[in-house]
Amino acid sequence: MAEVLEISRQALHDQVVTRLRTLLIEGRIAPGAKLNERELCEQLRVSRTPLREAIKLLAAEGLVDLIPNRGAVAVRLTEADVLHTFEMLGVLEATSGELAARRISKEELAELRALHYEMLACYERDDLPGYYEFNAKIHNAINAAAHNPVLTSTYHSINARVQSLRYRTNQDAAKWKHAIQEHEQMMQALSERDSAGMRAILLEHLQRKRDLVLELLHAGKLYPSAPAPHGETRRSA
């Protein structure tokens, strides 16, 4: 614990949140599984106080459900949850893309190109965690380039709940390659200030993500071994 004490309280909080968020997104904490505080404290080398603070924040983000008499559980979405969330997310991302194509600055476009090339490098190395990190940064940067703070706050609150699902959709080689092609189209549309084209590309991109998530759900591959939250029966197909 000595090394932890050398870190400021805020820095420690940020580190715990980041590391716990990664465990949830990458599925290393199974969807539907209870967050075991003792095990997580040992794994993250922190006390219960910063861990509980991190859990509360991630619950607000939508990655964790706080269930009475059970505690914190990694979020596990139903088919209806997936449909409703991606329906809204598609509209938000499409609007972000449309506005970004109109409003993006030269500096923001250059940064997006840099992120895009970093993402491509991860793809070529078959580095899915790295790819996902840059992919998320790209979608966030497109949203930020829309320069609409209300849109941004709404987008982040809804997108958080499906982060782990978006991560899983690129684990198929052919579908991962198609996602790359769609990102190439996004960069072209942004460069050409094609707002209508950018909106259409992102809407199709999110619809494809939704369909892939549903395909995995119906095949029993999305939550192959995760228990349903207490008191609720999850639909399987």
Side-chain angles (χ1 to χ4, degrees):
M1 294 297 294
E3 61 180 289
V4 174
L5 294 176
E6 296 173 1
I7 304 173
S8 71
R9 180 178 176 82
Q10 186 58 45
L12 176 60
H13 170 76
D14 293 343
Q15 287 183 21
V16 176
V17 169
T18 298
R19 293 165 69 187
L20 185 54
R21 184 187 289 117
T22 298
L23 293 176
L24 291 162
I25 289 175
E26 294 185 2
R28 285 185 272 170
I29 299 176
K34 182 178 179 180
L35 275 62
N36 187 305
E37 290 189 1
R38 181 181 59 79
E39 291 180 1
L40 286 170
C41 284
E42 292 177 0
Q43 183 177 357
L44 301 176
R45 297 183 180 181
V46 295
S47 66
R48 287 180 184 261
T49 298
L51 177 65
R52 287 173 176 171
E53 291 174 351
I55 288 172
K56 288 179 182 178
L57 178 60
L58 294 174
E61 288 185 6
L63 288 172
V64 173
D65 284 329
L66 300 177
I67 301 176
N69 303 319
R70 188 167 180 224
V73 175
V75 70
R76 183 173 186 237
L77 303 182
T78 65
E79 181 174 344
D81 292 333
V82 171
L83 287 168
H84 294 155
T85 303
F86 273 93
E87 183 174 55
M88 280 305 303
L89 196 57
V91 173
L92 293 170
E93 289 232 18
T95 302
S96 295
E98 180 181 4
L99 294 177
R102 297 176 188 170
R103 301 172 179 176
I104 193 168
S105 67
K106 291 182 180 178
E107 293 76 16
E108 287 171 326
L109 184 57
E111 176 62 22
L112 261 169
R113 286 198 184 103
L115 291 172
H116 180 69
Y117 291 135
E118 292 282 3
M119 186 185 72
L120 290 180
C122 290
Y123 171 74
E124 294 298 332
R125 295 195 302 269
D126 201 28
D127 174 9
L128 182 57
Y131 170 90
Y132 180 80
E133 178 183 351
F134 285 105
N135 181 283
K137 288 180 178 179
I138 286 169
H139 282 275
N140 287 336
I142 291 172
N143 177 267
H147 296 286
N148 184 318
V150 176
L151 175 62
T152 294
S153 63
T154 307
Y155 167 73
H156 285 305
S157 67
I158 295 177
N159 188 46
R161 286 188 70 80
V162 295
Q163 285 301 291
S164 63
L165 304 186
R166 295 182 76 157
Y167 180 85
R168 288 171 176 77
T169 58
N170 290 319
Q171 294 180 6
D172 177 281
K175 291 165 183 173
W176 194 3
K177 182 177 180 180
H178 195 279
I180 285 288
Q181 293 170 348
E182 289 177 330
H183 272 267
E184 294 278 10
Q185 294 170 4
M186 290 177 208
M187 292 308 304
Q188 182 176 353
L190 281 172
S191 299
E192 295 174 356
R193 306 281 177 169
D194 180 1
S195 58
M198 189 64 176
R199 182 181 184 87
I201 293 164
L202 275 162
L203 191 59
E204 182 178 352
H205 186 66
L206 265 291
Q207 290 172 343
R208 190 178 300 277
K209 290 288 183 185
R210 176 204 62 199
D211 292 345
L212 291 176
V213 168
L214 291 174
E215 180 182 321
L216 291 171
L217 181 64
H218 295 161
K221 297 178 180 179
L222 196 60
Y223 305 128
S225 60
H230 180 68
E232 182 175 354
T233 300
R234 292 301 193 183
R235 174 180 175 180
S236 61

